[in-house]
Amino acid sequence: GFVTPHAVCTLVVDEVGVDKICTVNTLISETMYDVHVVAEDNTNDSITLGQSLTPNQMTTISSVTFRTRDITPPELLEGTPYVTDLLGTQVDINIEMYEEGMAFYTILPDYAPPPTAQQVKVGIGADMLTLPQS
């Protein structure tokens, strides 16, 4: 069936060997896309001689496939984190996420101020002290 293009771009290449850029900012994160390009030469030289020629156009397309980057942070499933197997000196921390990735955790006494997300990632408390690794 017919698929509506996400973007269409026309570039004038007026200098050989110099990159021309078409910026597209309407794509969806973490999505596969195909870019298809066809080119034709400039016929302005023949017009100055009083002739109107049809441009020479590529007969096949040149394509590249790419995937846009992940720009959204992961989310934990509702109800996580939660603890299980709570023993005298041990606990299991359970999480589930909506996408693959890594999770970091910090365990602090109940009265301690909560750390920032960056402090949790590097393993320090809000007081900037390094926490033991488990």
Side-chain angles (χ1 to χ4, degrees), residues 29-118:
S29 136
E30 298 181 81
T31 303
M32 295 295 295
Y33 290 98
D34 296 319
V35 175
H36 305 289
V37 177
V38 65
E40 65 183 25
D41 60 12
N42 189 346
T43 59
N44 288 341
D45 291 338
S46 59
I47 293 173
T48 59
L49 300 175
Q51 302 173 17
S52 179
L53 300 176
T54 303
N56 297 310
Q57 180 176 308
M58 294 170 56
T59 57
T60 59
I61 61 173
S62 183
S63 302
V64 62
T65 298
F66 68 94
R67 180 181 178 98
T68 51
R69 291 178 37 202
D70 179 1
I71 59 169
T72 57
E75 293 183 31
L76 299 180
L77 266 66
E78 189 171 333
T80 68
Y82 62 92
V83 297
T84 56
D85 297 328
L86 184 57
L87 304 173
T89 60
Q90 177 182 319
V91 67
D92 290 342
I93 302 166
N94 302 272
I95 66 154
E96 291 184 53
M97 298 190 323
Y98 284 104
E99 66 178 289
E100 293 181 5
M102 294 182 67
F104 305 87
Y105 65 90
T106 298
I107 299 175
L108 297 170
D110 187 42
Y111 56 83
T116 65
Q118 189 60 32

